[in-house]
Amino acid sequence: MPNSFKFERLQQPPLIFAGTGGAHLLQPICDELGLTPGHIDIRRFSDGETRVKINDSVRGRVCFVIQSTSTPVNDNLIELLLILDALKRASAVEINAVIPYFGYARQDRKDEGRVPISSKLVADLIVTAGANRVITCDLHSYQIQGFFNVPMDHIFAAPIMIDYMKKHQTKDFVVVSPDVGNVKRARGYASALNVPLAIIDKRRPQPNVAEVMNIIGNIEGKDILIFDDMVDTAGTLTVAAQALKNKGAQNIYACCTHGVLSGPAFQRLCDSPIKEIFITDTIPHKKGECDKLTVISVAPLFAKVIKRIYTQESVSTLF
C-alpha cells in the first residue's frame, strides 16, 4: 500500500527522476510517496554518445535522481553525470543522487602499484556534476562514504531482508559469512535472527576466483544462510556453498543485497547446492532468469529515506 505521508500540503513537492539504471524503481517509489514521476528524455547518438533532456521545470525545486551504476556500468554512470549536470544548469535548488547500487566500489584503495582508486574518482565526478547529497545502499566498503565531500546517507537493506528471512527461518539456522571481511555485517544478521554465526576462511588468488581454506563454526546438520553484500560471478558464493555441503550442511540459502550476476553466475547458481538466493532489486532483473532467484524490492525503503530527507527527519533511526 502507498505510504500514508502526503505532499499536497507542501507548495513545492520534490521531483523524482530516474535514469535507465533506476527506471524499475521510479514508479514504485513514487507510488509509495503519492508523487508523479519526473520525465527525462534519454537517447543515444549513432556513435554511442548519450543525450539527456529534462522535460519538467526544476527551477527552485528539490530533485532526486535514481540511478544504479550497474551493467552497462559506464553507460549508466555517464547517464547519471549528465542528468545531474542538466539539473544543476536548470537551477534545481537541491540535487540528491540516489544510487541503489554504487559501481566501482570494489576499487576503493591502492592494493598494488600503479592502479587508480576508482571509487574516489567516481565520487568526485558525481559531486562535480552537481550532486548536493548522495544516498546509496550497502556499500562494498564503508570507507567510500569518506570519498564524498557532500552529505552521504548510507542505508542498509538489512531491515527488509531480515523481515523476509524470519518468514523462512527454521530452528537449526546458522548465518555464514563468506569471508572474514564480511563478519560484521553477517553478525548483525545473526543477531537479528537470534542464530549462531559461522565464518568461511578463504583466499582469492586472482579477481573473481576464491578458494575455501577453513570453516569456523558448527554447521553440520544445520540449515545455512550465507550473507554477502553482492554476488558478481557467483564464484565465491557457490564455492562456499559446496564447501558447506561437503561439511554436512542441510538446506543452503543465500542472501545478497546486490545481484550483479555477471558472466557465468546464473549457470553456477543453477549447478550449485544452493536451494534459494534472495537478492534485492537495487539492480534490475528479469523474471525467469534463474528459478532459484527471489527478488525483494527496496522501493519502500528508499521511499522512506527520500521522505525523511525532504522533511529533514533522521534517516539513521530507520536502521
Side-chain angles (χ1 to χ4, degrees):
M1 293 295 292
N3 194 296
S4 60
F5 181 80
K6 300 296 181 182
F7 285 102
E8 284 80 1
R9 64 184 180 84
L10 299 171
Q11 194 172 25
Q12 293 286 333
L15 289 170
I16 303 182
F17 300 95
T20 306
H24 64 293
L25 290 171
L26 178 60
Q27 190 64 57
I29 288 175
C30 287
D31 287 345
E32 290 282 332
L33 296 172
L35 295 174
T36 301
H39 301 93
I40 300 180
D41 184 15
I42 301 173
R43 301 184 184 184
R44 300 281 190 270
F45 290 105
S46 61
D47 66 349
E49 285 186 13
T50 302
R51 178 187 183 276
V52 166
K53 184 178 187 298
I54 311 296
N55 291 328
D56 298 303
S57 174
V58 300
R59 184 175 297 275
R61 302 291 292 272
V62 175
C63 299
F64 291 84
V65 181
I66 306 165
Q67 177 79 327
S68 281
T69 50
S70 52
T71 304
V73 179
N74 296 331
D75 286 350
N76 283 335
L77 176 58
I78 286 295
E79 259 188 35
L80 173 61
L81 298 176
L82 294 176
I83 293 168
L84 296 174
D85 186 72
L87 292 171
K88 177 177 67 174
R89 295 177 188 279
S91 300
V93 70
E94 182 182 311
I95 305 169
N96 300 276
V98 182
I99 311 173
Y101 169 69
F102 183 81
Y104 286 103
R106 286 168 287 186
Q107 302 176 50
D108 60 350
R109 64 194 182 278
K110 288 194 67 172
D111 54 355
E112 56 183 307
R114 300 176 298 282
V115 297
I117 304 179
S118 305
S119 300
K120 171 58 176 169
L121 173 61
V122 171
D124 287 344
L125 289 171
I126 290 169
V127 174
T128 300
N132 303 118
R133 176 186 297 272
V134 174
I135 304 104
T136 192
C137 181
D138 281 346
L139 282 168
H140 189 64
S141 175
Y142 287 4
Q143 73 190 46
I144 294 173
Q145 297 173 79
F147 293 171
F148 289 90
N149 294 323
V150 295
M152 150 71 86
D153 288 301
H154 183 207
I155 70 174
F156 304 95
I160 57 174
M161 300 293 268
I162 289 169
D163 285 346
Y164 191 88
M165 289 309 305
K166 281 181 177 178
K167 299 174 185 177
H168 297 76
Q169 188 173 348
T170 66
K171 289 183 179 179
D172 294 323
F173 228 91
V174 175
V175 167
V176 173
S177 173
D179 54 48
V180 175
N182 205 47
V183 169
K184 184 176 181 180
R185 298 189 207 216
R187 185 181 290 117
Y189 271 70
S191 177
L193 294 169
N194 195 28
V195 298
L197 173 69
I199 303 166
I200 291 178
D201 174 27
K202 72 174 185 185
R203 71 183 184 94
R204 192 182 291 278
Q206 57 184 305
N208 294 124
V209 176
E211 295 178 2
V212 172
M213 305 299 288
N214 298 291
I215 298 174
I216 305 167
N218 180 24
I219 54 90
E220 187 174 355
K222 307 290 186 180
D223 286 343
I224 301 297
L225 172 62
I226 306 173
F227 169 73
D228 209 347
D229 62 310
M230 78 163 67
V231 54
D232 187 355
T233 62
T236 296
L237 185 59
T238 53
V239 166
Q242 189 60 58
L244 291 164
K245 197 69 176 177
N246 294 342
K247 292 290 186 178
Q250 293 297 312
N251 297 312
I252 300 176
Y253 302 89
C255 176
C256 170
T257 302
H258 308 298
V260 180
L261 301 178
S262 65
F266 287 114
Q267 189 60 50
R268 284 175 172 174
L269 289 172
C270 289
D271 296 340
S272 76
I274 295 173
K275 187 173 183 179
E276 191 171 3
I277 175 169
F278 308 96
I279 63 172
T280 74
D281 58 354
T282 56
I283 296 172
H285 287 284
K286 298 176 182 177
K287 290 183 179 179
E289 284 182 313
C290 178
D291 292 338
K292 296 182 178 183
L293 209 61
T294 298
V295 180
I296 305 166
S297 181
V298 292
L301 178 61
F302 275 98
K304 289 178 182 178
V305 171
I306 289 171
K307 178 253 179 181
R308 285 176 176 246
I309 289 171
Y310 186 70
T311 55
Q312 299 183 5
E313 297 177 70
S314 172
V315 171
S316 61
T317 54
L318 286 173
F319 309 99

